[in-house]
Structures are given as structure tokens and as C-alpha cells.
Amino acid sequence: MPADRTRTTPTPAQLRVWREYIETADALRRALDGRMLSESGMSSGDYVVLLALSEAPRRTLRSSELADAVGWERSRLSHHLRRMERRGLITRDASEAEARGVEVAITAAGLELFRAGSVPHLRAVKELFVDALSPQQLDDAGGIAAALRRRTGDTPGLRD
């Protein structure tokens, strides 16, 4: 077993890689979030909610399913949905199937905003992420992401 695997804490070199990873991921997210807001008027939170709803059957999810899909706590989702509902992007109605459940649906305005904002967002992803990497680096990044997901027990999906 390599010596660095027997340590209980990362080596200085490993910490440098960790810090570079975290700082780069944060900078990339800030750049993408800023561009999305300036180009579409949509926050990254709006985007992940609208994406999940746009992909759902009937473009509707129970709020508990939506929270799981976007990886948010129920209270955070509830506050965000309230703001989105005031803007006419989603509707929230009592669930017919669940006495205490709430069904969240994307509105026509929400779907229009999502579609209009997706094109510039995907261009920004390509410019800031895909184009910065060689094909091999892109494959390696996918493998690294999958390994980290397996280690944390998280499932793939969009998170904010």
C-alpha cells in the first residue's frame, strides 16, 4: 500500500490539489451563475428547478420529489418556490394523491424562460468548461466525478 494511503490526513501536495479543485469549481460556478443571470434573468436555482420540472412527466412533481431531484432541503425549496410562483414561473397546488403533499408545475412562462435561458447557458458551459479541456481531460473529469459520487454515495443529477 502506498505510504500516502496510510496517512489519516492529506499530504501538503494533496491539500494543494484539493484546494485548487474547490477554488476552481467555485470560480466556474460563479462565472456560469453570473452569466445566466445577466443573459436570461434566471438564477441558477431557478434553472435547476425549471430543468427538473421540464423533464418530469406532465411537467409536474410533488415538492418532496422536486427537493430530492435538485438536492435541496425542503425549507429552502419552499422559499424558492414561493418566489418563483410570485413571478409566474411555477404553480403549487394541493396534491390529489397525498393529503399533505404539494404538486409543483412549470407554467408556460416558466417553460419559455427555461428554454430561452438554456441556449446561452449551454454556450457558456461549452466555452468555460468543455472548450478548456482536451477530449482526454474531459473523459478524465467524467471519471473523477463518477469516483467522487461513488465515494459520497450521491446519485448523479443536477445540484445547486
Side-chain angles (χ1 to χ4, degrees), residues 77-115:
L77 179 66
S78 179
H79 292 296
H80 196 86
L81 291 178
R82 189 174 307 118
R83 291 188 297 272
M84 291 180 75
E85 188 174 32
R86 281 195 303 258
R87 291 168 45 215
L89 303 177
I90 57 106
T91 59
R92 294 187 296 173
D93 295 304
S95 172
E96 294 177 12
E98 249 181 74
R100 294 178 39 173
V102 173
E103 299 270 333
V104 182
I106 192 169
T107 63
L111 192 56
E112 183 179 327
L113 178 66
F114 172 73
R115 287 180 176 156

Side-chain angles (χ1 to χ4, degrees), residues 4 15 17 29 36 42 45 99 120 124-125 137-138 142 156:
D4 63 351
L15 283 173
V17 171
R29 183 176 295 247
M36 181 179 294
M42 184 173 26
V125 168
Q137 288 172 322
L138 197 56

Side-chain angles (χ1 to χ4, degrees), residues 45 70-81 83 160:
V70 300
W72 291 359
E73 295 293 325
R74 307 282 192 274
S75 61
R76 176 182 179 195
L77 179 66
S78 179
H79 292 296
H80 196 86
L81 291 178
R83 291 188 297 272
D160 176 57

Side-chain angles (χ1 to χ4, degrees), residues 48-49 51-53 55-56 61-72 74 77 149 154-160:
V48 296
V49 168
L51 174 62
L53 291 172
E55 293 177 338
L61 288 170
R62 289 191 336 254
S63 61
S64 59
E65 294 171 324
L66 182 56
D68 291 342
V70 300
W72 291 359
R74 307 282 192 274
L77 179 66
R149 291 264 186 189
D154 196 10
T155 56
L158 234 21
R159 300 285 188 251
D160 176 57

